[in-house]
Amino acid sequence: MPAFDEARILERNLAALAEHLRGLGPSFEILCVDDGSRDETAEILARLAPAVRALRHPENRGKGAAVRTGALAALGERIVFLDADLSTDLAALGPLLAALDGGADVALGSRRVPGAVIEIRQPALREFSGRVFSRLARFAIAPEVRDFTCGFKGFRREAAAAIFARATVERWAFDAELIAIARQRGMVIAQVPVRWRHCGSSKVRVAGAALGSLASLVRIVWRQRTGAWRR
């Protein structure tokens, strides 16, 4: 779970996550990466140890960087990242893990495949920019993937090691890079419907995010076309 200035919701949501995971099985770890938070996030994580393992970036580097740090440090055979606001219903964890156990190397939570439900939509401008980005990414990277930006993705351990060791995008569009690397390396990708709701305010500045995403997408496509991740 990447976290940046999430003190208001972090303790409550980590408790909900732990309770849900106990219902799935006895063996799990929760790893939270504090991406240079300026609020009390670090103090909360220190208080929750050892039930929650925490890593910290000394300064904010971006969600992609936090996810990469966590994925490379995780100990499990199946590795999932999810947003701190729990915008994706935790009920999707079971099907996501089942997809990995069923042969997928990567399992993508999706708001745009049959069976998905959006309970509360994002603000119109943010939803529009996300749809535009996903359409561009589908055209340039993976036509079969319906939702690139849902913050709920799972990986088999070997796949995570191969993907995140090659990932370089630290902010916008990092999800698209993960999918592009998996696809170029011939990994099996599954899409799992989720129940999703927009949770309150966002730290994302839409205009800056849109421009940053497009610039990153151009770099991702260039690296894909030149076979950069086959090695």
Side-chain angles (χ1 to χ4, degrees):
M1 179 184 286
F4 175 60
D5 288 352
E6 301 289 2
R8 183 178 59 85
I9 62 170
L10 190 61
E11 191 164 6
R12 178 185 71 240
N13 286 358
L14 284 171
L17 176 59
E19 181 178 1
H20 189 86
L21 288 171
R22 283 192 289 270
L24 293 178
S27 179
F28 65 87
E29 72 162 346
I30 298 176
L31 173 58
C32 190
V33 180
D34 176 6
D35 189 29
S37 295
R38 302 156 298 185
D39 62 2
E40 293 77 36
T41 293
E43 288 80 0
I44 291 171
L45 291 174
R47 188 165 67 246
L48 294 176
V52 176
R53 184 155 71 102
L55 300 174
R56 176 172 170 79
H57 292 164
E59 59 185 27
N60 179 257
R61 290 168 52 191
K63 182 180 176 182
V67 169
R68 184 175 68 229
T69 294
L72 292 175
L75 301 176
E77 291 302 315
R78 300 170 298 176
I79 299 168
V80 175
F81 75 79
L82 70 168
D83 292 334
D85 62 7
L86 300 187
S87 51
T88 301
D89 194 311
L90 291 175
L93 263 175
L96 197 78
L97 296 174
L100 297 175
D101 291 342
D105 298 299
V106 179
L108 311 176
S110 179
R111 297 160 292 187
R112 300 191 181 108
V113 296
V117 176
I118 298 179
E119 295 180 341
I120 302 175
R121 309 195 79 88
Q122 295 173 301
L125 181 57
R126 187 174 174 188
E127 181 170 336
F128 173 76
S129 65
R131 284 186 176 274
V132 170
F133 176 81
S134 284
R135 289 192 178 187
L136 290 173
R138 286 182 70 187
F139 175 78
I141 295 173
E144 72 281 6
V145 173
R146 302 289 298 277
D147 186 356
F148 282 78
T149 59
C150 182
F152 194 81
K153 295 179 172 64
F155 307 82
R156 294 178 62 85
R157 181 173 186 81
E158 297 84 357
I163 293 169
F164 285 97
R166 292 167 173 81
T168 60
V169 176
E170 297 199 328
R171 292 188 183 273
W172 323 120
F174 83 95
D175 301 86
E177 184 186 38
L178 303 181
I179 294 167
I181 295 171
R183 200 167 184 270
Q184 186 170 93
R185 295 187 65 80
M187 295 181 185
V188 177
I189 300 174
Q191 300 178 74
V192 177
V194 301
R195 181 178 292 271
W196 189 92
R197 63 190 177 281
H198 176 66
C199 294
S201 59
S202 170
K203 303 178 186 69
V204 176
R205 296 181 179 179
V206 175
L211 292 174
S213 294
L214 289 174
S216 293
L217 185 59
V218 170
R219 291 195 295 272
I220 292 166
V221 172
W222 172 254
R223 298 195 75 195
Q224 183 183 49
R225 298 290 168 84
T226 57
W229 302 305
R230 291 197 181 97
R231 297 185 292 274

